[in-house]
């Protein structure tokens, strides 16, 4: 609770935040984790993930926590994406396990990043099903 209060009152901006939660902590105190997520005043709360994942998913909302006055705009007003067309979204929450497998592409230690990244770019530029196995192969070996 003290960390949440610090984040809400002392850190400038409300676009996104990351909450790292060890599995043992979540198992012993799930109510504290849920309360932290509910109380954080950020437009995106990423639990055990890079905050930009909420932006990259596109279906989640991305924008500042609502309520900034025009004379203290901080991270802005309103949201983008909002694929589900919520009337007044407050925040999006994305969660992942504490240890992710396979290792996500954005991790510096990803072993096949050098071969995977060009395949992903090629796939995004011209998506076809026959490119998928090579992408999956490199992603799983990361």
């Amino acid at each position: 609770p003290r960390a949440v209060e610090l984040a809400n009152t002392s850190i400038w901006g409300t676009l996104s935040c990351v909450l790292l939660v060890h599995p043992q902590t979540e198992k012993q105190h799930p109510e504290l984790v849920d309360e932290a997520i509910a109380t954080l005043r950020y437009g995106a709360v990423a639990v055990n993930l890079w905050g930009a994942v909420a932006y990259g998913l596109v279906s989640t909302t991305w924008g500042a926590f609502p309520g900034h006055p025009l004379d203290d705009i901080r991270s802005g007003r309103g949201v983008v994406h909002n694929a589900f067309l919520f009337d007044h979204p407050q925040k999006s929450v994305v969660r992942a396990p504490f240890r992710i497998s396979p290792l996500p592409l954005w991790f510096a230690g990803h072993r096949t990043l050098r071969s995977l990244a060009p395949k992903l770019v090629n796939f995004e530029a011209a998506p076809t099903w026959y490119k998928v196995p090579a992408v999956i192969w490199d992603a799983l070996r990361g």
Side-chain angles (χ1 to χ4, degrees), residues 27 45 53-54 67 69 74 83 91-92 111 125 133:
K27 185 177 181 180
V45 177
V53 171
R74 297 193 182 226
K91 69 176 89 174
S92 289
R111 294 182 311 224

Side-chain angles (χ1 to χ4, degrees), residues 67-98:
H68 294 295
L70 290 175
D71 62 341
D72 187 18
I73 205 68
R74 297 193 182 226
S75 295
R77 292 173 66 122
V79 297
V80 295
H81 301 170
N82 194 11
F84 298 108
L85 302 174
F86 294 120
D87 284 337
H88 302 287
Q90 184 182 73
K91 69 176 89 174
S92 289
V93 178
V94 293
R95 295 179 82 133
F98 189 71

